[in-house]
Amino acid sequence: MAEVMTAPESTEADLMQDFQEIVSSTNQDLIQENANVDGKSPCGQMNKFASESAKLYAKEKMLSREAKQAMEDNYIHIHDLDYMPTGTATCCQIPLGKLLEKGFNTGHGHMRSPQSILSAMALAAIVFQSNQNQQHGGQSFQAFDYDLAPFVKKSYQKRLHRLQQYQLPLAPQELEKLAWEETDRECYQACEAFIHNLNSLHSRSGGQVPFTSINYGTDSSREGRLIIKNLLLATQSGLGKGETPIFPIQIFKMKKGVNFYKADPNYDLYQLALETTAKRLFPNFSFIDAPFNFVYYEEGNPDSEVAYMGCRTRIMANRHGEENSLGRGNISFTSINLVKIALTSSTVEAFMAKLEVYTEMVIRQLYERYVFQANKLVNNFTFLHGEGVWSGSDELNPEDTLEEVLKQGSLSVGFIGLAECLKALTGKHHGESEQAQELGEEIVAFLRKKCDEAAEDYDLNYSLIATPAEGLSGRFVKQDRKDFGIREGITDRDYYTNSFHIPVYYPIQAVEKIKREAVYHPYTNAGHITYIEVDGDVSKNIKAIDILVKTMAESGIGYGSVNHPVDRCKSCGYTGTIDNACPSCEITDERQFDRIRRITGYLVGTMDKWNTAKASEERDRVRHV
């Protein structure tokens, strides 16, 4: 193995320096690792004090010597290290239907099962808020339309009963039609309130709203279709002054025979989804028919439909229970710096040997973290496990440990910088060279093979994730640039390219980008995403988005989205593309413009909260259409 360059260890002096930068708000990259948090606010600062202190504790008291050394040498990054001492897991696909059916307790009293769609939607927001503080990552609903359809039915029945009491001179079918119209309006109000709640219910220090995702699109019942339709219409309408809602991250599930073709029952809702994406950037699109997703699919069983988290996380395979995503999630993940391994390897063979060393070390580190997490108690997580959010946890007692249920989650190995890695090894990245593409696939296939072997060896759900790097994208390259200098196409930018993506600055046609990145989706069974950048006001060209989504489906993409500028003038309310001046009122003051952009899977209403690496990446993005 090549000689290791050792970075200085974290010390009390380093921590004091971080604290000073938090107090003075002078280090954007430190206080804005997460663009969804106001790092300058009092609670945001307090949260950051706790975070930096917890990281130091985890490094000094909880990591093995080899894991700590690998972090200091810039070979790996342990995600959410500050939450490691708490034993939390990363994310969960919440079984909303089960919680609404039986009711739940948030810690200050029991919430009864709702009797209308309005109250069901209100409780859905409370479920997200309650669970957010029990996990360090995101929360998601796996089948939002199916889960809420029964409560649309309850609203309809209540309204029909009320109309029947009036003894109106109407035929039964006319009364039913009127009841459905009233239910439709109630459903819209419920969806509107749900979206407003998820953009205003602050649940963490620093003004962070719950990091939420919802999956929907395949329920073809009358009730399910009303949910889908009104959710999309409410999203198009936006918030109180027309702002684009950044949460929930919405994922429209595509399925041939359901919403893919013109003859499919939900095809009209797919068209509405395209219109909404063109205006609001959401929904994204997941593809049930992708071979690695379809293998779990059972017709008529919504639990079997693949579900994603907004940024890309996916969980389906399960060695210890049902193979679906319901009530399960990622336990923790650690990412490998492919670029540094390439920069310290003289040949491809040396690179692969060194990659094996660090992959096996990450597998050990994930297991050590899992053992700590599995020994936490149910009553450490009164909602997540005490209310049975995590699959099987409602069968445990408060003093039971979590091993029996937590082992259904996934332990994920991640990676960053495949493009820069290939540039270091071959002189070209996988967007510009077939040879590099072949090597890229070999590298990612090798990582998946190591995860599969670990799953057998440890009897746990080890998996491979295409890392969603935010703060990490700049942190790795900053240290590597110190060690290796500026290398063209490798360390000469402020960020490394996320996971297997083709660099954002590289000009490539959309179809070609989709096909090249689709190769990596089957290997990354813990999550993946492919983005396509388009220019201008795409609301006038819905067909273009349709073609992109269909191309993703036919190319074997598991999850994808379409990025385009969504700007809003705060002065006149114009929403669309704004260059230097508002096309409507002609104002030129940049402070009057909201510029919605996607960062690592989620949207941000202002780029003031972006760290320097991701801000630099956004400036470099080229359009593929």
Side-chain angles (χ1 to χ4, degrees):
M1 190 167 69
E3 181 181 356
V4 172
M5 303 178 189
T6 304
E9 290 190 11
S10 299
T11 64
E12 184 177 342
D14 296 328
L15 190 61
M16 290 301 109
Q17 177 63 34
D18 287 344
F19 285 170
Q20 181 57 46
E21 291 177 346
I22 294 168
V23 171
S24 61
S25 299
T26 55
N27 187 338
Q28 180 81 353
D29 293 338
L30 177 64
I31 65 174
Q32 290 299 165
E33 284 186 305
N34 184 340
N36 190 32
V37 172
D38 183 359
K40 296 180 181 179
S41 70
C43 284
Q45 288 184 322
M46 193 66 188
N47 192 50
K48 196 60 184 171
F49 272 112
S51 174
E52 294 306 308
S53 301
K55 286 178 185 176
L56 183 59
Y57 176 85
K59 287 179 184 176
E60 298 301 323
K61 301 297 184 181
M62 301 187 72
L63 293 184
S64 66
R65 181 177 298 178
E66 64 173 3
K68 180 182 176 184
Q69 187 67 53
M71 279 194 71
E72 292 171 350
D73 292 341
N74 212 41
Y75 283 106
I76 70 167
H77 176 79
I78 300 173
H79 292 267
D80 300 291
L81 182 65
D82 48 349
Y83 278 92
M84 189 173 183
T86 71
T88 63
T90 302
C91 56
C92 184
Q93 291 281 358
I94 298 173
L96 177 63
K98 182 180 82 170
L99 292 176
L100 293 180
E101 182 181 3
K102 72 181 183 68
F104 55 88
N105 192 324
T106 63
H108 300 284
H110 189 78
M111 304 290 147
R112 295 189 301 270
S113 179
Q115 298 303 306
S116 70
I117 187 58
L118 267 174
S119 55
M121 283 281 201
L123 288 182
I126 291 171
V127 167
F128 268 145
Q129 186 185 33
S130 300
N131 200 56
Q132 181 68 84
N133 286 311
Q134 309 249 314
Q135 299 200 259
H136 56 250
Q139 323 298 316
S140 180
F141 294 144
Q142 176 262 354
F144 195 60
D145 40 3
Y146 284 99
D147 286 341
L148 288 167
F151 303 98
V152 175
K153 187 71 170 181
K154 288 187 177 185
S155 283
Y156 164 73
Q157 290 170 340
K158 288 171 65 175
R159 291 181 177 276
L160 178 61
H161 179 73
R162 177 180 55 81
L163 289 171
Q164 288 170 340
Q165 301 309 304
Y166 293 157
Q167 297 183 342
L168 299 172
L170 298 173
Q173 60 268 29
E174 292 176 303
L175 285 177
E176 291 172 5
K177 180 175 181 294
L178 187 57
W180 275 116
E181 289 173 353
E182 290 187 2
T183 303
D184 193 0
R185 287 192 292 271
E186 181 185 348
C187 190
Y188 178 83
Q189 291 173 338
C191 290
E192 184 179 53
F194 176 73
I195 290 171
H196 278 71
N197 279 334
L198 290 188
N199 286 275
S200 58
L201 286 173
H202 294 164
S203 66
R204 281 185 178 173
S205 299
Q208 183 180 12
V209 294
F211 197 104
T212 54
S213 307
I214 54 176
N215 295 260
Y216 60 86
T218 54
D219 188 346
S220 58
S221 70
R222 186 168 190 170
E223 296 82 2
R225 284 174 50 79
L226 277 186
I227 292 290
I228 300 167
K229 181 191 78 170
N230 286 299
L231 186 64
L232 291 167
L233 291 175
T235 303
Q236 285 194 24
S237 295
L239 301 178
K241 292 186 177 181
E243 303 96 329
T244 293
I246 64 172
F247 287 110
I249 299 169
Q250 299 181 35
I251 303 149
F252 192 91
K253 295 187 285 188
M254 297 293 295
K255 178 72 184 74
K256 293 177 180 178
V258 177
N259 52 32
F260 197 87
Y261 300 116
K262 286 185 178 180
D264 292 345
N266 282 4
Y267 182 78
D268 58 329
L269 297 176
Y270 165 58
Q271 295 301 306
L272 185 60
L274 293 174
E275 293 174 16
T276 309
T277 296
K279 186 174 183 180
R280 299 296 187 186
L281 283 166
F282 288 147
N284 301 336
F285 297 89
S286 65
F287 303 96
I288 294 173
D289 291 311
F292 46 86
N293 290 332
F294 186 74
V295 68
Y296 300 103
Y297 179 72
E298 299 173 9
E299 188 172 355
N301 178 12
D303 291 354
S304 70
E305 296 177 359
V306 67
Y308 286 83
M309 295 284 174
C311 57
R312 71 197 63 192
T313 307
R314 168 191 181 276
I315 181 170
M316 291 298 288
N318 189 5
R319 301 177 68 87
H320 300 285
E322 291 188 54
E323 292 199 303
N324 58 43
S325 63
L326 204 59
R328 305 169 57 221
N330 184 258
I331 305 172
S332 58
F333 72 106
T334 297
S335 292
I336 298 172
N337 182 355
L338 295 181
V339 191
K340 177 154 189 186
I341 296 178
L343 288 170
T344 55
S345 301
S346 57
T347 65
V348 171
E349 291 73 20
F351 168 86
M352 296 301 290
K354 193 168 185 179
L355 178 62
E356 182 169 24
V357 169
Y358 279 102
T359 304
E360 291 178 349
M361 188 273 296
V362 165
I363 288 167
R364 290 192 293 273
Q365 178 269 315
L366 286 169
Y367 179 73
E368 290 161 2
R369 185 172 186 174
Y370 162 77
V371 170
F372 178 77
Q373 292 166 308
N375 278 285
K376 300 292 282 187
L377 305 180
V378 171
N379 63 16
N380 292 133
F381 305 92
T382 54
F383 192 81
L384 177 66
H385 296 295
E387 290 298 310
V389 174
W390 195 277
S391 181
S393 60
D394 48 1
E395 299 174 8
L396 300 179
N397 296 314
E399 298 301 322
D400 287 342
T401 61
L402 299 175
E403 181 179 4
E404 284 305 306
V405 295
L406 212 57
K407 65 184 181 183
Q408 295 191 69
S410 64
L411 297 168
S412 299
V413 177
F415 61 95
I416 186 173
L418 180 64
E420 290 81 8
C421 163
L422 294 171
K423 195 84 171 179
L425 292 174
T426 71
K428 293 183 178 181
H429 59 69
H430 53 312
E432 55 188 351
S433 163
E434 289 298 332
Q435 177 192 4
Q437 171 76 331
E438 291 175 5
L439 179 57
E441 183 176 1
E442 180 183 343
I443 290 169
V444 176
F446 174 80
L447 289 169
R448 171 60 185 273
K449 176 174 174 287
K450 297 301 294 183
C451 289
D452 290 346
E453 290 173 353
E456 292 292 331
D457 293 342
Y458 290 86
D459 194 24
L460 291 169
N461 297 313
Y462 276 93
S463 54
L464 181 65
I465 187 169
T467 293
E470 189 173 331
L472 177 60
S473 66
R475 188 178 304 118
F476 269 162
V477 70
K478 189 175 182 180
Q479 183 60 46
D480 286 349
R481 188 184 295 145
K482 288 181 182 178
D483 294 339
F484 304 100
I486 296 177
R487 303 283 187 93
E488 183 179 354
I490 305 171
T491 61
D492 56 345
R493 298 177 187 268
D494 291 332
Y495 55 89
Y496 282 152
T497 299
N498 257 348
S499 61
F500 56 68
H501 292 171
I502 290 168
V504 297
Y505 55 81
Y506 182 70
I508 187 171
Q509 291 185 352
V511 172
E512 185 65 18
K513 184 177 191 290
I514 289 169
K515 290 181 177 178
R516 284 183 177 268
E517 292 191 1
V519 168
Y520 301 98
H521 281 235
Y523 296 112
T524 47
N525 56 336
H528 41 244
I529 194 169
T530 284
Y531 299 108
I532 293 297
E533 299 280 341
V534 299
D535 206 357
D537 186 359
V538 293
S539 64
K540 298 179 175 62
N541 191 3
I542 303 300
K543 184 62 178 176
I545 302 181
D546 181 34
I547 290 171
L548 290 174
V549 173
K550 294 291 181 63
T551 301
M552 289 180 183
E554 299 300 344
S555 301
I557 292 287
Y559 179 42
S561 69
V562 179
N563 289 345
H564 56 89
V566 175
D567 302 323
R568 176 181 168 273
C569 177
K570 290 184 278 189
S571 178
C572 70
Y574 170 84
T575 299
T577 301
I578 301 175
D579 293 323
N580 298 319
C582 173
S584 178
C585 69
E586 299 183 353
I587 193 171
T588 58
D589 186 354
E590 181 65 29
R591 293 170 298 181
Q592 292 298 312
F593 304 147
D594 285 333
R595 299 193 182 276
I596 301 290
R597 298 293 185 270
R598 199 185 310 269
I599 187 164
T600 50
Y602 66 99
L603 305 183
V604 181
T606 171
M607 293 184 63
D608 293 341
K609 296 179 182 177
W610 286 40
N611 63 61
T612 55
K614 296 307 287 186
S616 176
E617 184 222 77
E618 196 278 336
R619 288 192 298 269
D620 286 349
R621 294 176 185 175
V622 298
R623 310 305 176 198
H624 305 120
V625 178

